[in-house]
Amino acid sequence: MQQEDGPGPSFPAGVALVVGGSGGIGGAICAALARHGSEVALTYRTNHAAALSAVEAVEAAGQRGSAHAVDLRDETSVRSLISGVAASHGPIHTIVHAAGSRIDQPYISRVELAQWREAIDADVHGAFHVVQAGLPELRKTRGSFVFISSAGLSRFPPGDVLSVAPKAAVEALLRGVAREEGRYGVRANSVALGIIDAGMFPELVERGELDARYLEAAKRNIALGRFGLAAEVAETVAFLASRAAGYITGQTLCVDGGYSV
């Protein structure tokens, strides 16, 4: 009979890699992983200042942090990222994919082919590059993927196809990973988000793209009647990445305040 692990760290030795850790939600995830006892490497595309701020939060929690520029559309860049993080920090026990494109919100009938192709290339192909490059490292540590997805897969929000459709493809990819890689101890789960008051959302409100009428209607569609917090997402991700979730794989956990109910 297999013995249970005794008391110990929340994570195996090594580092958590947060792809998109410079964003509002990604940065909160980095800080939470550090508070729970993990070193954190994070990626950014162009916002170096935000990446450095996220690293500072990791270090303030007493953990080593590092920031790495990467273009997820470039397979070579992603493979260099993974090998570089492993060489610098040691084994990678978790890969969190929290990157997402900044998109417009047209109805499907008005989506331009160029918009569609750009979203698929950045989000689907980018995630595929991360999965393929990361699997050999996670096999070594019996580690896990955690993907930031959308509650729109359960209850579609009109005008959000450029966000939701790519995430549907990546969720299918992660379920495949869970099924095929479980024999190596690798887990793969996703966290489906409703409206979170972080990342792009405050920017859209500030620019007036989401007006007061929209905000009130959105709250009426949420069972808890409020928007979510980045810290609530971060703690959920930390749980799924930890030993406490060691028998959970191939699952999607909605952090949406009951939007999808």
Side-chain angles (χ1 to χ4, degrees):
M1 181 176 178
Q2 183 178 357
Q3 292 195 357
E4 298 180 0
D5 291 338
S10 295
F11 310 104
V15 63
L17 170 61
V18 181
V19 178
S22 62
I25 293 174
I29 291 170
C30 292
L33 290 167
R35 288 195 303 272
H36 287 283
S38 179
E39 293 186 15
V40 179
L42 62 100
T43 78
Y44 67 98
R45 186 174 179 189
T46 58
N47 196 338
H48 186 235
L52 291 182
S53 178
V55 170
E56 289 174 0
V58 169
E59 293 174 342
Q63 297 294 331
R64 183 183 172 204
S66 62
H68 309 262
V70 67
D71 182 350
L72 297 180
R73 298 168 297 182
D74 183 345
E75 180 187 5
T76 301
S77 178
V78 174
R79 290 192 179 278
S80 295
L81 162 73
I82 299 291
S83 61
V85 169
S88 175
H89 284 269
I92 300 173
H93 62 73
T94 300
I95 297 177
V96 179
H97 194 289
S101 300
R102 294 184 177 273
I103 59 169
D104 296 324
Q105 292 188 303
Y107 275 42
I108 294 169
S109 62
R110 299 174 184 172
V111 173
E112 297 178 2
L113 185 57
Q115 291 176 300
W116 176 262
R117 286 176 170 166
E118 183 177 357
I120 294 298
D121 189 30
D123 294 351
V124 179
H125 297 161
F128 182 74
H129 293 155
V130 171
V131 167
Q132 279 215 320
L135 271 174
E137 296 300 325
L138 294 186
R139 285 176 178 176
K140 296 175 187 176
T141 59
R142 301 176 70 83
S144 72
F145 288 105
V146 184
F147 171 62
I148 300 302
S149 185
S150 171
L153 289 169
S154 299
R155 183 180 179 184
F156 190 85
D160 210 27
V161 69
L162 293 177
S163 173
V164 174
K167 290 179 174 63
V170 180
E171 284 218 15
L173 173 65
L174 267 290
R175 286 194 296 272
V177 169
R179 186 62 179 166
E180 295 176 357
E181 299 294 323
R183 56 184 169 162
Y184 301 110
V186 175
R187 298 183 298 111
N189 297 290
S190 63
V191 180
L193 305 187
I195 298 179
I196 306 300
D197 194 5
M200 290 178 58
F201 180 72
E203 297 177 20
L204 294 173
V205 173
E206 185 175 351
R207 295 201 301 260
E209 295 183 37
L210 303 178
D211 59 19
R213 187 173 64 175
Y214 172 90
L215 298 178
E216 288 305 312
K219 287 181 180 179
R220 287 196 298 270
N221 280 326
I222 299 170
L224 292 181
R226 66 173 178 86
F227 303 137
L229 304 176
E232 293 171 319
V233 177
E235 289 298 325
T236 304
V237 170
F239 163 70
L240 285 175
S242 74
R243 297 181 191 273
Y247 202 55
I248 300 174
T249 193
Q251 304 302 309
T252 299
L253 181 55
C254 286
V255 180
D256 66 355
Y259 168 81
S260 56
V261 172

